[in-house]
Amino acid sequence: GILQQTIGSGTGPGNGFLLKQGTSMAAPHVTAVAALVRSQGVRGVANIKRAITSTATDLGVAGYDTTYGYGIVNAAGAVNISKSSLTAKVSKRRIIFRQRILVNGNITPAQIATIYIQSYDVKKKRWSTIATKRSTASGYYGKKLRLSRNSLIRVVWNGTSTVLGQMTGNRRVKVKPRISVKAKKVRNSRGVFVVLSGRVSPSHRRRIAVIKKRVGRRWRRVGRVRLNRKSRYRKTLRLRSRGLYKLKVFFSDSDHIKGASKTIRVKIG
């Protein structure tokens, strides 16, 4: 059993230092040790688990067994186990679709090792490795990536037989869609028109893009257009007044922050 200070209801034999047993008694003690390990800078469930299980005082048959598990938790051993540190930086926090970012950092103690760069999949609700990179003898690693949507990035090292692995915190990178646009001015008996056409990347077929014109310091919506199956659009706008028109096409969705095309200038007069 576990000798622990127990507070029961009222007074009597239910209070004091008592021997208790079972998973209800073991779980809070192991959880407390896990918190101590994490407070030492260790990140990642697998690394914290390894710190606890590899330093436990073995009981029964050597190694893991179904009676004693890994043995008795050893808080001092888990906290003092050989640790590593891992840093990660991203070169840009906002990019346009298909732009590249650099994910780089250092591992300590310095060594040649395989670094795993992971991204969180919101739909599948899990992390997946999107790239690997070997660090140099000095511990440095760097990898260029292209991201197609808003992403959470983290870096993982699995450690060695004598040193715990490590995991960085999350780095958020926001991605704008790439929007191309070109304009053609048309004049006929009904007036002057401008035909805007282009494409939104990555593909977002059957979604809605918004066309805005500059009015003072703000952009005001003047039209909407649905993308076709190839994520292309074509929209005709009538320009009723003389002057210089500044037009842009905007698009956003749950996977991307709002993106905008270049400014199209059309002069009527």
Side-chain angles (χ1 to χ4, degrees):
I2 297 174
L3 181 63
Q4 65 174 33
Q5 184 176 16
T6 303
I7 301 176
S9 57
T11 60
N15 295 295
F17 284 91
L18 304 175
L19 283 172
K20 299 289 184 177
Q21 59 184 347
T23 55
S24 296
M25 299 300 106
H29 291 81
V30 175
T31 301
V33 174
L36 289 174
V37 173
R38 195 178 191 282
S39 72
Q40 299 299 303
V42 179
R43 297 293 182 267
V45 174
N47 296 323
I48 294 174
K49 178 180 178 180
R50 180 184 166 195
I52 295 173
T53 57
S54 64
T55 59
T57 303
D58 196 19
L59 295 175
V61 179
Y64 177 85
D65 62 76
T66 56
T67 302
Y68 297 100
Y70 290 97
I72 300 176
V73 69
N74 183 336
V79 169
N80 293 321
I81 192 173
S82 296
K83 307 175 187 67
S84 62
S85 66
L86 182 64
T87 63
K89 296 187 296 182
V90 294
S91 57
K92 297 179 181 178
R93 294 300 183 98
R94 287 175 176 253
I95 61 173
I96 299 175
F97 175 70
R98 298 302 290 173
Q99 277 187 335
R100 296 200 297 180
I101 63 168
L102 174 66
V103 180
N104 67 327
N106 289 276
I107 182 173
T108 306
Q111 58 193 286
I112 298 175
T114 300
I115 304 298
Y116 299 87
I117 301 173
Q118 298 182 335
S119 175
Y120 186 71
D121 190 318
V122 176
K123 295 180 180 178
K124 296 181 179 180
K125 296 182 178 180
R126 69 182 185 188
W127 290 90
S128 58
T129 298
I130 58 174
T132 60
K133 183 67 178 181
R134 296 281 286 178
S135 62
T136 64
S138 65
Y140 172 83
Y141 70 90
K143 182 73 173 180
K144 290 184 177 180
L145 302 174
R146 281 192 173 98
L147 301 176
S148 61
R149 58 171 61 91
N150 296 336
S151 301
L152 281 178
I153 301 294
R154 73 181 186 188
V155 180
V156 177
W157 177 55
N158 290 333
T160 67
S161 59
T162 57
V163 180
L164 278 183
Q166 188 58 284
M167 180 179 71
T168 67
N170 301 335
R171 307 289 187 268
R172 186 180 298 275
V173 180
K174 296 181 179 181
V175 181
K176 295 180 181 181
R178 186 178 294 275
I179 305 171
S180 65
V181 62
K182 57 183 179 179
K184 180 180 180 182
K185 189 165 64 173
V186 178
R187 185 186 297 271
N188 58 32
S189 60
R190 293 188 300 163
V192 180
F193 298 82
V194 60
V195 180
L196 299 180
S197 60
R199 181 175 181 177
V200 176
S201 300
S203 179
H204 285 85
R205 61 182 185 177
R206 313 305 299 169
R207 302 296 295 273
I208 299 295
V210 176
I211 301 170
K212 297 183 179 182
K213 72 174 181 178
R214 187 70 178 262
V215 180
R217 296 183 177 182
R218 298 185 178 183
W219 290 92
R220 181 177 297 174
R221 191 176 78 179
V222 293
R224 300 172 60 189
V225 59
R226 186 177 296 277
L227 306 179
N228 64 19
R229 288 182 293 179
K230 295 183 178 181
S231 198
R232 295 183 177 276
Y233 66 88
R234 182 182 175 89
K235 180 70 173 180
T236 301
L237 298 174
R238 184 175 183 180
L239 307 181
R240 299 179 181 274
S241 304
R242 293 183 177 183
L244 177 64
Y245 288 80
K246 297 180 181 180
L247 304 171
K248 274 188 178 183
V249 180
F250 293 82
F251 182 85
S252 66
D253 68 348
S254 59
D255 291 331
H256 304 86
I257 60 175
K258 181 183 288 186
S261 70
K262 66 180 181 180
T263 301
I264 292 294
R265 290 173 169 82
V266 181
K267 187 174 182 180
I268 305 296

